[in-house]
Amino acid sequence: MSTPEQITDAVAYHGEGPCWSETWGGLRWVDMLAGDLLTLRADGGVDRLHVGDVAAFVRPRSRGGYVVGLERGLGLADAADEPATPLPEMWSDPGVRMNEGGCDPAGNLYAGSMPYDRTPGGARLYRITPAGDVSVVLPAVTTSNGIDFSPDGTRAYYNDTATGGTDVFDVTDGELVNRRLFHSADDGRADGLCVDSAGNVWVALNRVGRVRLYSPEAEILEEVELPVRLVTACTLGGEDGKDLFITTSREKLEDPEPQAGALFRLRVDVPGRPVLPYAG
């Protein structure tokens, strides 16, 4: 079992959503409930950019800048270092917040929500087109997490964390169809995920301090153990795409580990792919 290195202090209360993009200089992730975007500097320091009450996820835009998940909708920025301009809220219920997002090869953004009290079925997965049109893909999820696509665009992997595993969809004519269980999370809770250039799937297993690598056939290829329980998400990046970055949290822990909230890194064999940007 591999052990990653800690590369920052415990800088986040609830670190989430790591994303590598050269457009903002490398790795960016969120301190979600602080409403901050965090950017890793070359010297190992961390820059903060406050964007709202919640910063749920961040993705580059194909035209430059970024899209960020805010508490009840999205924000857009034209440059990497600018605060985002909020778009109209996607819902009004203060008991539901945005949680995670990712883009498909066509430049659509998939963004999912979660109830603060984790009411079963109280959230949705939305698709936002480059033109800004919003539709509901899944009408009843609990904790929407970790969506990414296979290198050929024919599969989408998705975690509704409360279900206890990772699901896979077929992508047909741009639609997500034939949802089915890809692999159980066993004793963990499937949180963030990413797909590498060979189609393998890295899944963060929250509460048990691990990240697991699956083949496209759902075989377990590797497990990574961390010194913290709340492992939240992972992404691939670095100059050669072989750095696996892992975010962690200390949210609501009465006795958090000293490293909880730090960023970790592990060198892996198979590189990732350039992040899919939002075309809006």
Side-chain angles (χ1 to χ4, degrees), residues 11 88 103 114 126 143 147 177 179-180 203 225 236 260 269 274:
V11 294
C103 297
M114 67 168 285
Y126 300 88
T143 306
I147 190 164
V177 299
R179 181 181 181 180
R180 58 206 182 273
V203 179
E225 187 169 8
L236 289 158
D269 295 328

Side-chain angles (χ1 to χ4, degrees), residues 234-275:
C234 54
T235 198
L236 289 158
E239 291 186 4
D240 60 1
K242 293 184 179 181
D243 286 329
L244 181 72
F245 295 98
I246 304 165
T247 52
T248 66
S249 172
R250 58 179 183 268
E251 182 188 9
K252 297 181 180 178
L253 289 181
E254 292 184 4
D255 185 23
E257 306 92 345
Q259 304 99 318
L263 179 73
F264 293 80
R265 179 177 60 201
L266 178 73
R267 292 290 291 169
V268 300
D269 295 328
V270 179
R273 305 161 295 147
V275 63

Side-chain angles (χ1 to χ4, degrees), residues 155-179:
R155 282 180 155 197
Y157 297 92
Y158 174 73
N159 292 332
D160 179 0
T161 297
T163 67
T166 295
D167 290 339
V168 60
F169 295 82
D170 296 322
V171 182
T172 303
D173 296 328
E175 300 294 328
L176 307 191
V177 299
N178 190 26
R179 181 181 181 180

Side-chain angles (χ1 to χ4, degrees), residues 14-18 30 32-33 54-59 68-74 91 96-102 110-116 118 123-126 141-147 158-162 190-192 206 232-233 251:
H14 184 47
E16 261 281 11
V30 301
M32 185 180 288
L33 301 177
V54 167
F57 62 85
V58 62
R59 287 293 185 277
V68 61
L70 303 177
E71 188 169 25
R72 289 188 289 276
L74 304 174
W91 63 87
V96 176
R97 67 164 171 82
M98 192 69 85
N99 194 58
E100 180 62 289
Y110 287 79
S113 58
M114 67 168 285
Y116 278 104
R118 292 177 170 79
R124 293 177 171 182
L125 176 66
Y126 300 88
V141 300
T142 302
T143 306
S144 189
N145 256 317
I147 190 164
Y158 174 73
N159 292 332
D160 179 0
T161 297
D191 201 328
N206 198 291
T232 55
E251 182 188 9

